[in-house]
């Protein structure tokens, strides 16, 4: 059976989707833990990790089986095979960094969708098709419609071009990358700067205009609530490294206090 993409079903129903990132521990059990926790999707990070394609493929295939939508952030978008290899390995979508122009997005759609939407290299028997036997036209239509393309807005140029970018058929959702956007705006790392929030509002406005799901990461439930109230339907929550660190750093001081330990004894 060809597996549907649960993420797209949530968006079609107008509901927000919540997921997280794998950036630290590329172990299959982490995927099972996130699935058991109830997340809707998992982003497998390649832009800022040393994960191999083999590792990414294993994680993506297990996520599919566990009912999580596997999304891969590739190391870049200039080389088509950086996009199609994770898709062939089982990813049901891509988180595309630094999308600045409609022309760039059209090229990506052409590379990642099968005919008639594009010219993705033809391979109809693999993890991405669940090894099913079906008519080629049925497989092609299913894969094309269930492959999610989420674009990252990380520059002022991208914001200026966003109205045109969202007119490209194939854009499924928008994610703001606040760190790189702050750097491009001349306020690197100042994530509470009014200039950055003004940029957010412009992105939200354009996405609402085109009825395209949008969002950005949340580091706590209150932040997630804030984005949902703005209309966000794409919310990655923390990541594996942050969850481990935040849990440990909250507990350890309490443990040391229970044990009568002072800071000098660290």
């Amino acid at each position: 059976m060809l597996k549907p993409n649960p993420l797209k079903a949530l968006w079609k129903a107008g509901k927000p989707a919540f997921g997280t990132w794998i950036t630290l521990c590329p172990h299959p059990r982490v995927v099972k833990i996130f699935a058991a926790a109830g997340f809707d999707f998992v982003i497998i990070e390649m832009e800022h990790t040393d994960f191999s394609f083999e590792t990414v493929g294993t994680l993506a295939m297990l996520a599919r089986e566990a009912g999580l939508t596997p999304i891969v952030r590739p190391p870049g978008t200039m080389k088509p095979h950086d996009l199609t290899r994770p898709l062939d390995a089982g990813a049901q979508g891509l988180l595309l960094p630094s999308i600045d122009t409609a022309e760039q997005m059209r090229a990506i759609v052409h590379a990642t969708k099968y005919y008639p939407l594009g010219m993705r290299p033809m391979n109809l028997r693999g993890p991405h098709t669940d090894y099913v036997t079906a008519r080629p036209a049925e497989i092609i239509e299913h894969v094309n419609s269930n492959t999610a393309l989420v674009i990252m807005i990380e520059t002022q140029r991208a914001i200026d071009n966003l109205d045109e970018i969202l007119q490209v058929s194939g854009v499924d959702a928008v994610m703001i990358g606040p760190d790189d956007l702050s750097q491009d705006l001349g306020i690197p790392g100042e994530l509470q700067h009014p200039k950055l929030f003004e940029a957010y509002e412009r992105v939200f406005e354009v996405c609402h205009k085109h009825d395209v799901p949008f969002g950005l990461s949340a580091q706590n439930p209150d932040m997630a609530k804030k984005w949902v109230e703005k209309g966000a339907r794409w919310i990655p929550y923390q990541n594996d490294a942050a969850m481990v660190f935040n849990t440990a750093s909250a507990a350890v001081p309490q443990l040391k206090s229970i044990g009568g330990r002072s800071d000098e004894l660290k």
Side-chain angles (χ1 to χ4, degrees):
M1 176 182 175
L2 288 162
K3 287 184 171 57
N5 185 336
L7 185 59
K8 284 207 162 188
L10 284 169
W11 287 338
K12 186 175 182 180
K15 297 179 180 179
F18 301 95
T20 190
W21 305 69
I22 296 178
T23 66
L24 171 70
C25 183
H27 196 288
R29 291 177 185 172
V30 172
V31 174
K32 290 290 286 185
I33 289 170
F34 287 153
F39 281 118
D40 301 308
F41 65 89
V42 63
I43 303 168
I44 305 166
E45 174 69 275
M46 293 191 75
E47 186 180 26
H48 297 298
T49 70
D50 57 359
F51 296 170
S52 68
F53 272 111
E54 182 179 4
T55 295
V56 168
T58 298
L59 296 174
M61 191 160 56
L62 179 57
R64 290 173 73 100
E65 296 302 318
L68 282 169
T69 298
I71 303 290
V72 172
R73 177 157 71 172
T77 60
M78 298 299 291
K79 299 177 181 179
H81 277 85
D82 285 342
L83 308 177
T84 58
R85 287 184 70 193
L87 291 177
D88 281 356
Q92 289 180 297
L94 299 172
L95 178 60
L96 300 160
S98 302
I99 302 301
D100 287 333
T101 68
E103 180 182 13
Q104 180 187 8
M105 194 60 215
R106 279 190 286 268
I108 290 171
V109 172
H110 182 80
T112 57
K113 300 286 188 177
Y114 293 126
Y115 181 87
L117 304 180
M119 291 297 288
R120 173 177 167 179
M122 185 66 71
N123 171 25
L124 299 184
R125 183 64 65 84
H128 64 306
T129 63
D130 303 295
Y131 295 98
V132 302
T133 299
R135 293 184 303 106
E138 179 184 348
I139 296 174
I140 287 168
E141 193 282 329
H142 178 88
V143 174
N144 275 350
S145 63
N146 281 275
T147 298
L149 299 179
V150 182
I151 67 171
M152 293 199 71
I153 299 301
E154 302 181 279
T155 64
Q156 182 62 53
R157 184 185 183 202
I159 295 173
D160 293 341
N161 291 330
L162 186 56
D163 190 79
E164 184 181 0
I165 293 170
L166 295 189
Q167 294 179 56
V168 176
S169 178
V171 177
D172 291 294
V174 170
M175 177 178 181
I176 297 172
D179 295 291
D180 284 329
L181 181 56
S182 72
Q183 181 168 242
D184 189 71
L185 294 175
I187 49 170
E190 296 184 40
L191 301 186
Q192 301 302 313
H193 198 286
K195 191 174 182 179
L196 189 62
F197 287 114
E198 289 174 10
Y200 290 176
E201 291 298 335
R202 176 55 184 161
V203 173
F204 299 165
E205 177 187 352
V206 178
C207 289
H208 277 303
K209 173 185 173 183
H210 291 275
D211 193 26
V212 172
F214 65 87
L216 61 168
S217 289
Q219 300 307 314
N220 55 63
D222 286 342
M223 188 180 293
K225 182 175 184 289
K226 175 182 177 181
W227 300 142
V228 170
E229 288 173 347
K230 293 284 188 178
R233 285 184 276 164
W234 163 265
I235 304 174
Y237 183 80
Q238 297 190 6
N239 60 41
D240 52 357
M243 289 184 194
V244 171
F245 178 81
N246 291 343
T247 299
S249 61
V252 169
Q254 296 180 56
L255 295 173
K256 290 187 174 181
S257 176
I258 291 168
R261 296 267 304 275
S262 66
D263 290 340
E264 292 77 19
L265 295 177
K266 285 182 179 180

